[in-house]
Structure formats: C-alpha cells, structure tokens
Amino acid sequence: MPVLKIYTNISRDKIPADFLEKATDFLMKLLDKEKKFVKVCIVPDVMMICNGDSSPCLVSELLALERFNKEANKKYAAEIFAFYKEQLGLEYNRANVVFRDPGRENIGLWPK
C-alpha cells in the first residue's frame, strides 16, 4: 500500500529513466514492504516555487498504513531527502515530504 507521490518543477527529460524503479526499491527497503505493494508516481514540469526561488524543487507525500510517528518520521525524512539528493540532485531545503496514514478503512482494494 505505500504510495509515494512527487510533484516537481524538474523537467521530465532531467529525471533519470530508471527513477521509478529505484524509488520503488528504495521504498521497499525503507518501509520493509514487498514490491507488489509499492506505488510511485512522479509528476514533472509542475509550475512551482520554493523559498521564493523557482530553481529545481519538489513536494512529496508518502502514504502508508500504521508507519508514522515523530521518531520514525525523522528517520524516514532523512533517508528520503538523501534519496532525492542522490537521484535528482536536490538540496535538502528544496524538497519536503508529508507523511500520511489514510487509515485502513479508507483504502479500497481489489475484491478477492
């Protein structure tokens, strides 16, 4: 169920071709989930500004069930920002991540 949604002003041609696969593998390890449950979405070319500056930046949201708390979020944020820096070249002050637990009752799954 983990879902990582990324909105960025980075142009599509500047995003590594294997970014989605690497992000999927990263989330699998970060959240200890099987690949079949992980979803990643990146929306490039978004008109956005960060800190009054329109140089490359992003905003992201990580949805997962029963994973987030103050201490865990610090660890997750550090690792996520390091991943963004490594893969997209973004400095830490050019990105943010919102952690959200939608609650099990708010997740629709394919009927069995």
Side-chain angles (χ1 to χ4, degrees):
M1 185 277 145
V3 177
L4 178 63
K5 298 188 280 186
I6 301 169
Y7 301 90
T8 182
N9 61 356
I10 298 172
S11 63
R12 185 179 187 141
D13 63 319
K14 300 278 193 249
I15 296 171
D18 60 352
F19 180 82
L20 293 173
E21 291 80 11
K22 285 186 176 180
T24 298
D25 291 341
F26 169 76
L27 282 180
M28 284 174 43
K29 293 174 187 156
L30 182 70
L31 299 174
D32 192 30
K33 288 290 186 181
E34 294 179 54
K35 186 177 276 192
K36 67 182 180 180
F37 297 119
V38 176
K39 284 97 177 149
V40 178
C41 170
I42 186 165
V43 180
D45 299 307
V46 174
M47 293 176 59
M48 63 188 313
I49 194 166
C50 174
N51 306 331
D53 177 4
S54 62
S55 61
C57 59
L58 68 76
V59 61
S60 56
E61 181 179 29
L62 179 57
L63 290 85
L65 296 173
E66 302 166 355
R67 293 286 174 161
F68 305 127
N69 60 58
K70 186 176 180 178
E71 292 308 312
N73 293 355
K74 288 179 186 178
K75 173 189 175 289
Y76 293 150
E79 293 188 41
I80 290 168
F81 293 146
F83 178 78
Y84 291 159
K85 183 173 177 77
E86 175 188 313
Q87 294 299 311
L88 301 172
L90 289 177
E91 294 301 324
Y92 299 110
N93 68 338
R94 303 300 300 161
N96 71 4
V97 59
V98 175
F99 300 105
R100 190 161 66 88
D101 181 340
R104 201 166 291 281
E105 68 278 5
N106 295 316
I107 304 298
L109 299 173
W110 191 261
K112 293 181 180 180

